Amino acid sequence: MFATTRLICRRIHGTSDVTIPKLSGFSIVSPKYVEVEYANGTKFKFSSEFLRVHSPAADGKVRSIGGDKVISGRRYVGIMSAEPVGNYGVRLVFDDLHRTGIYPWDYFYELGRSKFGLMRSYIKTLQKHHLSREPPPPRRK
């Protein structure tokens, strides 16, 4: 999963043969979705879970299991705010307090183009390690 994220980052930083159109719109739809629209009419809708799991931040509360980097239990994570970062992206602040990921507009475009394959890969990785998208049950005191 993170190898794919690194590949997307490499594409963003100049090795892609895809021309990324100019951003024309960005909005948070409820705390659970983000919509990003580009000048060519391409529009992507991302769940907050998808964006949290594919955060470009290095930390991201990742577990390393058998060499795989895995983030689990984020099905119901929400987005609390979006902070502009220059003209090139946005920092998303999630309600699990993750706030270190800066999402360049080009990264959203590449995520959108690969969204279904990335989500499928994420679910397979969770299944492989007997993990879940569901958050763990609360601890009893």
Side-chain angles (χ1 to χ4, degrees):
M1 177 174 69
F2 286 93
T4 305
T5 302
R6 281 193 299 275
L7 174 64
I8 290 171
C9 287
R10 271 188 265 141
R11 286 182 182 167
I12 290 169
H13 297 294
T15 58
S16 176
D17 57 352
V18 175
T19 302
I20 308 294
K22 190 173 182 134
L23 177 78
S24 63
F26 174 86
S27 60
I28 297 176
V29 182
S30 80
K32 298 295 180 188
Y33 293 94
V34 166
E35 287 185 352
V36 183
E37 187 170 0
Y38 293 87
N40 67 353
T42 302
K43 187 184 253 185
F44 299 112
K45 184 175 181 179
F46 301 102
S47 71
S48 53
E49 175 192 17
F50 179 83
L51 292 172
R52 175 62 182 85
V53 168
H54 292 92
S55 171
D59 68 347
K61 295 183 182 174
V62 175
R63 294 171 67 182
S64 183
I65 303 172
D68 289 332
K69 304 284 187 191
V70 184
I71 298 174
S72 62
R74 298 294 185 260
R75 175 173 242 160
Y76 303 112
V77 71
I79 298 170
M80 296 188 339
S81 66
E83 304 164 355
V85 179
N87 290 326
Y88 71 91
V90 65
R91 173 182 288 115
L92 296 178
V93 179
F94 294 89
D95 61 12
D96 67 353
L97 304 182
H98 176 70
R99 63 177 300 119
T100 58
I102 296 173
Y103 295 76
W105 304 126
D106 292 353
Y107 185 64
F108 280 113
Y109 193 82
E110 292 290 343
L111 283 176
R113 292 180 66 230
S114 308
K115 182 167 88 169
F116 296 106
L118 290 170
M119 194 65 181
R120 193 171 30 250
S121 174
Y122 166 61
I123 291 169
K124 284 182 181 180
T125 301
L126 289 176
Q127 290 171 343
K128 174 181 171 184
H129 297 291
H130 308 288
L131 296 171
S132 174
R133 295 171 59 198
E134 302 295 326
R139 293 183 184 177
R140 294 184 179 183
K141 295 182 179 186

